[in-house]
Amino acid sequence: MANPFHIPGVSVESRALMPLVRGAHTAGVTVLGVALADLGEAETAASRVESIGPAPLASRLGVAALAQGSVDTAAVAATLILEERGAGTRAVRSDPRRVAAAYGSERLFTIDGTPPAVWAALSGFFPTVDGWLRTHANYPHHAKRLTGALGLPDDATREQLGDALARTRATEAVRRIRAAGGVAAEARPGDPAEDRRRTSAGILARQSFAGPRRPWMDGELPLAGIRVLDLTRVIAGPVATRTLALFGADVLRVDSPRLPEIGWQHLDGGAGKRSTLLDLEASGDRGRFDALLADADVIVLGYRPSGLARLGLSPADLVARVPGIVIARLSAWGFDDGDADRRGFDSIVQAASGIAWKESADGRVPGALPVQALDHSAGYLLAAGAMSALRRQRSQGGTHVVATSLRQVAAHLLSSPAGRAVEVDPDLSDQTVSHQSASGLLRYALPAPSYAGSPADFAHPPHPWGSDVAKWLPR
């Protein structure tokens, strides 16, 4: 397997730092230890974590440890910045119940007391002629492509979709759905050899290139004065950028007005951030975006590489255009040519990687993790990578790239020790906060990463989609 994080199109004269861990994902190695090693951080950084038990997330796989470790990695990365800036060493103490609440945030989120409809009718597992298939149709355009691929009307019901899939082989259904631009995956038994290949490449990767050294800004929080362009959606990317906002960054999410968004999901991942709409294929909006980019310290990319390249926003383009920036990349499947442009979501990666069968209750019907753990973990890990890269940029200079994918996280989970019996608290409402906002009275989960003296809440509640001007806040 080729390096799943490779950045094509960058001169070989640039200095590339590959993952520092090879084959280290074995029993007893924590996600915190692996991630810190991948980022080139000192092993002793893990000692600042004061363990108070795993997150109460019951699973056959080691989801509790994955969640706690991913959140703690982000908190440790923030404390390393504070230490470098002269604020001393801070203990990390991320509350397991708060971690569980953050990972299951969609179950706690409400608008004016009303919870959202999390899953669309056409999303889920369906039996086929020869197996099981998982669909994702929460976005209207994906639902339309799904039904069209199977010759169904746009307003097809779940029953009609189930009938069509029950008459079709799983591989043929997936082929047709993907060809139409929809999202689906067979529920596969897993491939340990692929998981070993993926874990040998690390859970995070980094590359560095020549660039100027930028200064820190004044402020009490580790990311005070840092400007982050957020080009992500759904869960993983917004979790990453929300974490950067928690630690003081000015995060501006940029969306296309032509791409539909799920309102509640945007709000659930939007605390502490601002949101603007720009059509990057329109000259006026593109000019405004380029001005934002020129003054950005970090850009987080969650869209498929082909679309970013078409807009001149591939990592290679950004390395050349914005020396000194930190580029954080996120993907469902990785960055190999065969994977990079494949559509995917947490539930789809669970099905394709073998997680769904590992979580099956009876071995006959596939199951799922108790939360969208691949998404959330990838988000916290990517935030940690961005903070580690920022610290290196401020001390050494350079242009830095960090990357992870949901499939890399899945490989780590599948290669880690099995889950333990964890007492699950069904009521995590005390781990939420309510704020009146322009969208109504919002209740959402409190931030999960925590160190001594870190913010207890986000700086402000989520802003409605596209409600902010396309400008940076004054430093």
Side-chain angles (χ1 to χ4, degrees):
M1 180 180 177
N3 170 29
F5 301 114
H6 175 62
I7 300 176
V10 178
S11 168
V12 294
E13 296 178 357
S14 298
R15 181 168 59 94
L17 301 179
M18 298 310 299
L20 302 182
V21 170
R22 298 293 183 187
H25 295 237
T26 57
V29 178
T30 66
V31 64
L32 172 63
V34 170
L36 291 176
D38 282 351
L39 295 172
E41 302 291 5
E43 184 178 348
T44 54
S47 65
R48 63 190 63 198
V49 176
E50 298 179 355
S51 177
I52 50 177
L57 296 167
S59 172
R60 290 172 172 80
L61 293 168
V63 169
L66 172 68
Q68 195 73 43
S70 299
V71 169
D72 286 341
T73 302
V76 167
T79 66
L80 290 172
I81 291 177
L82 287 171
E83 185 174 343
E84 182 161 304
R85 298 179 68 178
T89 301
R90 306 288 184 94
V92 169
R93 193 177 176 85
S94 302
D95 188 296
R97 295 184 69 249
R98 187 162 294 186
V99 172
Y103 268 63
S105 60
E106 73 278 1
R107 301 171 189 170
L108 298 168
F109 181 85
T110 62
I111 303 176
D112 292 329
T114 302
V118 175
W119 292 104
L122 302 187
S123 293
F125 284 109
F126 294 88
T128 67
V129 167
D130 56 350
W132 286 84
L133 178 145
R134 177 110 196 192
T135 62
H136 194 289
N138 283 14
Y139 286 97
H141 58 293
H142 288 155
K144 184 175 181 179
R145 294 168 186 172
L146 169 64
T147 54
L150 298 171
L152 298 172
D154 291 350
D155 61 351
T157 64
R158 185 178 179 88
E159 289 72 24
Q160 288 174 303
L161 176 60
D163 289 343
L165 290 172
R167 299 190 301 269
T168 311
R169 291 187 177 277
T171 53
E172 174 61 15
V174 170
R175 185 194 66 78
R176 288 163 57 183
I177 293 166
R178 288 184 185 168
V183 188
E186 294 179 68
R188 294 182 176 273
D191 185 344
E194 180 184 1
D195 291 332
R196 286 192 294 271
R197 289 193 297 270
R198 286 183 175 272
T199 54
S200 71
I203 200 168
L204 282 159
R206 59 190 175 97
Q207 291 178 285
S208 297
F209 309 94
R213 179 175 174 270
R214 299 184 180 185
W216 289 113
M217 299 289 116
D218 292 333
E220 294 184 4
L221 293 177
L223 300 182
I226 295 297
R227 291 170 168 172
V228 178
L229 267 182
D230 178 3
L231 272 64
T232 72
R233 64 206 312 252
V234 196
I235 299 175
V239 165
T241 53
R242 182 183 67 191
T243 303
L244 300 179
L246 172 69
F247 294 137
D250 177 16
V251 179
L252 181 61
R253 175 168 157 172
V254 178
D255 285 270
S256 168
R258 296 185 292 168
L259 193 61
E261 178 58 306
I262 299 171
W264 76 264
Q265 188 169 261
H266 170 80
L267 294 169
D268 188 37
K273 302 187 292 189
R274 297 181 297 125
S275 170
T276 195
L277 301 180
L278 293 173
D279 184 349
L280 301 192
E281 297 186 62
S283 59
D285 279 4
R286 183 54 192 253
R288 283 185 279 275
F289 176 83
D290 287 343
L292 290 167
L293 178 61
D295 288 333
D297 298 290
V298 180
I299 184 168
V300 186
L301 306 175
Y303 291 92
R304 292 185 298 146
S306 63
L308 293 169
R310 180 171 51 82
L311 294 169
L313 295 175
S314 70
D317 294 324
L318 293 166
V319 166
R321 288 179 54 198
V322 197
I325 199 169
V326 168
I327 303 161
R329 306 179 77 195
L330 180 70
S331 165
W333 305 101
F335 300 97
D336 276 342
D337 290 343
D339 291 329
D341 271 340
R342 184 177 164 193
R343 293 177 175 87
F345 296 87
D346 185 306
S347 59
I348 298 298
V349 176
Q350 286 189 43
S353 66
I355 289 174
W357 284 118
K358 291 282 188 182
E359 292 296 322
S360 171
D362 57 11
R364 296 189 300 271
V365 178
L369 298 175
V371 291
Q372 304 286 286
L374 307 182
D375 262 329
H376 286 270
S377 297
Y380 290 116
L381 291 167
L382 191 65
M387 286 186 278
S388 176
L390 273 168
R391 190 167 62 86
R392 187 167 285 109
Q393 204 291 322
R394 278 7 183 207
S395 63
Q396 303 173 13
T399 304
H400 299 265
V401 186
V402 292
T404 194
S405 73
L406 304 190
R407 187 61 183 87
Q408 295 299 121
V409 175
H412 175 89
L413 178 61
L414 287 161
S415 303
S416 297
R420 296 185 297 164
V422 177
E423 184 177 352
V424 178
D425 186 344
D427 183 10
L428 294 171
S429 59
D430 62 326
Q431 302 301 316
T432 65
V433 64
S434 295
H435 288 296
Q436 191 66 45
S437 75
S439 301
L441 180 63
L442 302 183
R443 185 184 77 168
Y444 51 88
L446 286 162
S450 177
Y451 59 80
S454 65
D457 192 3
F458 298 98
H460 56 77
H463 290 190
W465 187 63
S467 62
D468 293 289
V469 295
K471 291 182 179 180
W472 292 117
L473 297 176
R475 281 175 165 158

